[in-house]
Coordinates of all heavy atoms in Angstrom, one line a residue:
G1 N -19.0 -17.4 -56.6 CA -19.4 -16.2 -56.0 C -20.6 -16.3 -55.0 O -21.3 -15.3 -54.7
L2 N -20.9 -17.6 -54.6 CA -22.1 -17.8 -53.7 C -21.7 -17.4 -52.3 O -20.5 -17.5 -51.9 CB -22.5 -19.2 -53.8 CG -23.0 -19.8 -55.1 CD1 -23.4 -21.3 -54.9 CD2 -24.2 -19.0 -55.6
K3 N -22.7 -17.0 -51.5 CA -22.5 -16.7 -50.1 C -22.6 -18.0 -49.3 O -23.2 -18.9 -49.8 CB -23.6 -15.7 -49.7 CG -23.5 -14.3 -50.4 CD -24.5 -13.4 -49.8 CE -24.1 -12.0 -50.4 NZ -25.1 -11.3 -51.1
P4 N -22.1 -18.0 -48.1 CA -22.1 -19.2 -47.3 C -23.5 -19.8 -47.2 O -23.7 -21.0 -47.3 CB -21.5 -18.8 -46.0 CG -20.6 -17.7 -46.3 CD -21.3 -17.0 -47.5
R5 N -24.5 -19.0 -47.0 CA -25.9 -19.5 -46.8 C -26.3 -20.2 -48.1 O -27.0 -21.2 -48.1 CB -26.8 -18.3 -46.5 CG -28.2 -18.7 -46.2 CD -29.1 -17.5 -45.9 NE -29.3 -16.7 -47.0 CZ -28.8 -15.4 -47.3 NH1 -28.1 -14.8 -46.4 NH2 -29.1 -14.8 -48.4
E6 N -26.0 -19.6 -49.3 CA -26.3 -20.2 -50.6 C -25.6 -21.5 -50.8 O -26.2 -22.5 -51.3 CB -26.0 -19.2 -51.7 CG -26.9 -17.9 -51.6 CD -26.4 -16.9 -52.6 OE1 -25.1 -16.7 -52.7 OE2 -27.2 -16.1 -53.1
I7 N -24.3 -21.5 -50.4 CA -23.5 -22.8 -50.5 C -24.1 -23.9 -49.7 O -24.3 -25.0 -50.1 CB -22.1 -22.5 -50.1 CG1 -21.4 -21.5 -51.1 CG2 -21.3 -23.8 -50.1 CD1 -20.1 -21.0 -50.6
A8 N -24.5 -23.5 -48.5 CA -25.2 -24.5 -47.6 C -26.4 -25.1 -48.2 O -26.6 -26.3 -48.1 CB -25.5 -23.8 -46.2
K9 N -27.2 -24.3 -48.8 CA -28.4 -24.7 -49.5 C -28.1 -25.7 -50.6 O -28.7 -26.7 -50.8 CB -29.2 -23.5 -50.0 CG -30.6 -23.8 -50.3 CD -31.3 -22.6 -50.8 CE -32.3 -22.1 -49.7 NZ -33.1 -20.9 -50.2
V10 N -27.1 -25.3 -51.5 CA -26.7 -26.1 -52.6 C -26.1 -27.4 -52.2 O -26.5 -28.5 -52.8 CB -25.6 -25.3 -53.5 CG1 -25.0 -26.3 -54.5 CG2 -26.3 -24.1 -54.2
L11 N -25.3 -27.4 -51.2 CA -24.7 -28.7 -50.7 C -25.5 -29.5 -49.7 O -25.0 -30.6 -49.3 CB -23.3 -28.4 -50.2 CG -22.3 -27.8 -51.2 CD1 -21.0 -27.5 -50.5 CD2 -22.1 -28.7 -52.4
G12 N -26.5 -28.9 -49.2 CA -27.3 -29.6 -48.2 C -26.6 -29.6 -46.8 O -26.8 -30.6 -46.1
R13 N -25.9 -28.6 -46.5 CA -25.2 -28.5 -45.3 C -25.7 -27.4 -44.4 O -26.3 -26.5 -45.0 CB -23.7 -28.4 -45.5 CG -23.0 -29.5 -46.3 CD -21.6 -29.3 -46.5 NE -21.1 -30.3 -47.4 CZ -20.0 -30.2 -48.2 NH1 -19.3 -29.1 -48.1 NH2 -19.6 -31.2 -49.0
R14 N -25.3 -27.3 -43.2 CA -25.7 -26.2 -42.3 C -24.7 -25.0 -42.7 O -23.6 -25.3 -43.1 CB -25.5 -26.5 -40.9 CG -26.5 -27.6 -40.4 CD -26.3 -27.9 -38.9 NE -25.0 -27.4 -38.4 CZ -24.7 -27.3 -37.2 NH1 -25.5 -27.5 -36.3 NH2 -23.5 -26.9 -36.8
T15 N -25.2 -23.8 -42.5 CA -24.4 -22.6 -42.8 C -23.1 -22.6 -42.0 O -22.0 -22.3 -42.4 CB -25.2 -21.3 -42.7 OG1 -26.4 -21.4 -43.5 CG2 -24.4 -20.1 -43.0
A16 N -23.3 -22.9 -40.7 CA -22.1 -22.9 -39.8 C -21.1 -23.9 -40.3 O -19.8 -23.6 -40.2 CB -22.6 -23.3 -38.4
T17 N -21.5 -25.1 -40.8 CA -20.6 -26.1 -41.3 C -19.8 -25.5 -42.5 O -18.6 -25.6 -42.6 CB -21.3 -27.4 -41.7 OG1 -22.0 -27.9 -40.6 CG2 -20.4 -28.4 -42.3
V18 N -20.5 -24.9 -43.4 CA -19.9 -24.3 -44.6 C -18.9 -23.2 -44.2 O -17.8 -23.1 -44.7 CB -21.0 -23.7 -45.5 CG1 -20.4 -22.8 -46.6 CG2 -21.8 -24.8 -46.2
Q19 N -19.3 -22.4 -43.2 CA -18.4 -21.3 -42.8 C -17.1 -21.9 -42.2 O -16.0 -21.4 -42.4 CB -19.1 -20.4 -41.8 CG -20.1 -19.5 -42.5 CD -20.9 -18.7 -41.5 OE1 -21.2 -19.2 -40.4 NE2 -21.4 -17.5 -42.0
Q20 N -17.3 -23.0 -41.4 CA -16.1 -23.6 -40.8 C -15.2 -24.3 -41.9 O -14.0 -24.2 -41.9 CB -16.6 -24.7 -39.8 CG -15.4 -25.3 -39.1 CD -15.9 -26.3 -38.1 OE1 -16.7 -27.2 -38.4 NE2 -15.4 -26.2 -36.8
Q21 N -15.8 -24.9 -42.9 CA -15.1 -25.5 -44.0 C -14.4 -24.4 -44.8 O -13.2 -24.6 -45.3 CB -16.0 -26.3 -44.9 CG -16.5 -27.6 -44.2 CD -17.5 -28.3 -45.0 OE1 -18.3 -27.8 -45.7 NE2 -17.6 -29.6 -44.7
L22 N -15.0 -23.2 -45.0 CA -14.3 -22.1 -45.7 C -13.1 -21.7 -44.9 O -12.0 -21.5 -45.5 CB -15.3 -21.0 -45.9 CG -16.3 -21.1 -47.0 CD1 -17.4 -20.0 -46.9 CD2 -15.7 -21.1 -48.4
T23 N -13.2 -21.5 -43.6 CA -12.1 -21.1 -42.8 C -11.0 -22.1 -42.9 O -9.8 -21.7 -43.1 CB -12.6 -20.9 -41.4 OG1 -13.6 -19.9 -41.3 CG2 -11.4 -20.4 -40.5
R24 N -11.3 -23.4 -42.7 CA -10.3 -24.4 -42.7 C -9.7 -24.5 -44.1 O -8.5 -24.7 -44.2 CB -10.8 -25.7 -42.2 CG -11.1 -25.7 -40.7 CD -11.7 -27.0 -40.3 NE -12.0 -27.0 -38.9 CZ -12.7 -27.9 -38.2 NH1 -13.2 -28.9 -38.9 NH2 -12.9 -27.8 -36.9
G25 N -10.5 -24.5 -45.1 CA -10.0 -24.6 -46.5 C -9.1 -23.4 -46.8 O -8.0 -23.7 -47.4
K26 N -9.4 -22.2 -46.4 CA -8.5 -21.1 -46.7 C -7.2 -21.2 -46.0 O -6.2 -20.9 -46.5 CB -9.2 -19.8 -46.3 CG -10.3 -19.4 -47.2 CD -10.8 -18.0 -47.0 CE -11.7 -17.9 -45.8 NZ -12.4 -16.6 -45.6
S27 N -7.3 -21.7 -44.7 CA -6.1 -22.0 -44.0 C -5.2 -23.0 -44.7 O -3.9 -22.8 -44.8 CB -6.4 -22.5 -42.6 OG -5.3 -22.8 -41.9
K28 N -5.7 -24.0 -45.2 CA -5.0 -25.0 -46.0 C -4.4 -24.4 -47.2 O -3.2 -24.7 -47.6 CB -5.8 -26.2 -46.3 CG -6.2 -27.1 -45.0 CD -7.0 -28.3 -45.4 CE -7.3 -29.1 -44.2 NZ -6.2 -29.7 -43.5
V29 N -5.2 -23.6 -47.9 CA -4.7 -22.9 -49.2 C -3.5 -22.1 -48.9 O -2.5 -22.1 -49.6 CB -5.8 -22.1 -49.8 CG1 -5.2 -21.2 -50.9 CG2 -6.8 -23.1 -50.4
V30 N -3.6 -21.3 -47.8 CA -2.5 -20.4 -47.4 C -1.2 -21.2 -47.1 O -0.1 -20.9 -47.5 CB -2.9 -19.4 -46.3 CG1 -1.7 -18.7 -45.7 CG2 -3.9 -18.4 -46.8

């Protein structure tokens, strides 16, 4: 239940990168 900004902090990534990975990951899941 973390927000993209929090995920970025946890994983040491940029927020934009996390948002892009979420979008692509959801696309792959669908």
Side-chain angles (χ1 to χ4, degrees):
L2 297 179
K3 294 183 171 128
R5 186 180 70 249
E6 297 167 322
I7 296 169
K9 197 180 254 186
V10 167
L11 297 177
R13 298 178 188 158
R14 293 180 345 163
T15 303
T17 302
V18 167
Q19 289 171 327
Q20 185 178 49
Q21 289 171 334
L22 283 168
T23 301
R24 288 180 181 166
K26 287 189 286 189
S27 176
K28 290 181 180 298
V29 167
V30 168

